[in-house]
Amino acid sequence: MRQLWGHYPRLQQRGRTVVLGRDGRMGQVLRTAWRLGLRATYPLWLIYLEVDGLLSHRLSIAHMKHDWNDRARRDARLFVALDAGQTDDQYRKSGEQQVADLIESRLDVLLPGIDPQDADVLELGCGTGRMTRPMSGLFRRVTALDISAEMVTRARESLRDHGNVSFVVGSGIDLTGLPDHAFDLVVSFLVFQHIPDKAIVRSYFKESARVLRSQSTFFFQVRMPLEQERHLLRRPKGTWIGALYRPDEVVADLSQAGLDVVESWGHGTSSLFVIARKGK
Ligand SMILES: C[S@@+](CC[C@H](N)C(=O)[O-])C[C@H]1O[C@@H](n2cnc3c(N)ncnc32)[C@H](O)[C@@H]1O
C-alpha cells in the first residue's frame, strides 16, 4: 500500500478527478479502505475518483462505526469517560454529575416555558447510556442515538428498566428515521470532538434543526484547539481526535442550519459549549 501511494505524488484536482495529498486525506482514505477490506467493494480507482465526494464520507462513517464498535467491545467505559478502573457507582455518578452541571442547572435556558416532564429529548451519541440514565429521570422521553451498535447494546441493557428511553443505532451522519419537529431539546457531549469530518458535523447541525420543534434548543460541545495544537486544525487522521473548531466557524455552520447561538462558553479552553435555538 505504501509503495502504491508512493507512485502517486501530489495530483491536482481536474474537473471531477481528484487529488492526492492536499492534506494527507487521500492517503487516509486509501488506508481506511484497505484496513476495512473495502478494496473488494470499491476498487481503488473509484475511491480515487470520489475521494472528495460521498465515498469520502462513507469511508469516514465506516471507519467510525468500526472503531467505536471495537472500543465498546474492548472497554466501553474507558473510551466513554476516559477513566480506567472506575467502580460502577463512580461511573454512574460521573453521568449524574455531568447532567446536573450541564443540563439540570440550565433548564430555564434549555427548555424556556416547557415543563421538563413534558419534554422529548434526543441525545446524539449516547455511548453506554451514562448521561441517558439521569436524563430519563428529568424528561418525559429520551431517545438515545449512537453510531455504534455495540454501545447501544450496552446502553439498552443497562437501562432496560427505564421505560421512557428508546434507542437508535444511527447512520453516523444524519438522523434518518427520526421525524421532523419531534424534539424539544437535542443534546450531544463528547461526540463531535471525535468526528474527523466537519461535513458530518454540519450534517448533524442540519438534522438537529430538522428534528427540533420551532424555538427549541440544541446544546452541544465541540473541541477547540489549544494554542499548542494549531497544527491539528488540518483534517485529522483517525476517529479519536476529531475535527477542531474555531468558534466563528461553529456560529456560521449553525446559522446555515437555521440555528442561532443563544449562549456559548469555554472560549480559550479545549471545549466549546454551545446553546443554539431553532427559529420559528
Ligand atoms: C466519548 S463517547 C461519549 C458518550 C456519551 N455522550 C457520554 O458522555 O457518556 C462518544 C460516543 O459518540 C459516538 N459517536 C462517535 N461518532 C459518532 C457519529 N458519527 N454519530 C453518532 N455517534 C457517534 C461513539 O460511538 C461513542 O458512543
Side-chain angles (χ1 to χ4, degrees), residues 60-61 64-65 67-69 71-72 76 78-82 91 94-95 98 123-132 145-149 151-152 170-174 187-196 200 204 239-240:
S60 287
I61 291 163
M64 287 187 293
K65 267 193 194 289
D67 288 357
W68 282 103
N69 280 331
R71 287 171 190 142
L78 173 66
F79 288 105
V80 164
L82 274 193
Y91 186 71
S94 77
Q98 272 178 343
E123 184 186 12
L124 206 169
C126 63
T128 59
R130 189 179 68 101
M131 295 180 73
T132 324
L145 174 141
D146 202 281
I147 191 176
S148 159
M151 287 289 183
V152 167
S171 68
I173 187 168
D174 60 25
V187 296
S188 187
F189 304 108
L190 307 178
V191 178
F192 295 151
Q193 66 178 39
H194 297 293
I195 296 183
I200 294 176
Y204 275 136
T239 64
W240 183 250

Side-chain angles (χ1 to χ4, degrees), residues 110 112 114 180-185 208-217 258-259 276-280:
L110 299 176
I114 300 175
D180 298 356
H181 314 295
F183 296 96
D184 302 296
L185 176 64
S208 297
R210 177 182 68 76
V211 301
L212 279 170
R213 299 189 171 119
S214 65
Q215 306 281 300
S216 296
T217 308
L259 294 157
R277 194 101 70 214
K278 181 178 172 173
K280 287 202 195 310

Side-chain angles (χ1 to χ4, degrees), residues 56-76:
S56 156
H57 300 321
R58 282 207 206 118
L59 283 168
S60 287
I61 291 163
H63 199 173
M64 287 187 293
K65 267 193 194 289
H66 172 276
D67 288 357
W68 282 103
N69 280 331
D70 186 49
R71 287 171 190 142
R73 280 187 222 103
R74 277 159 55 203
D75 190 340

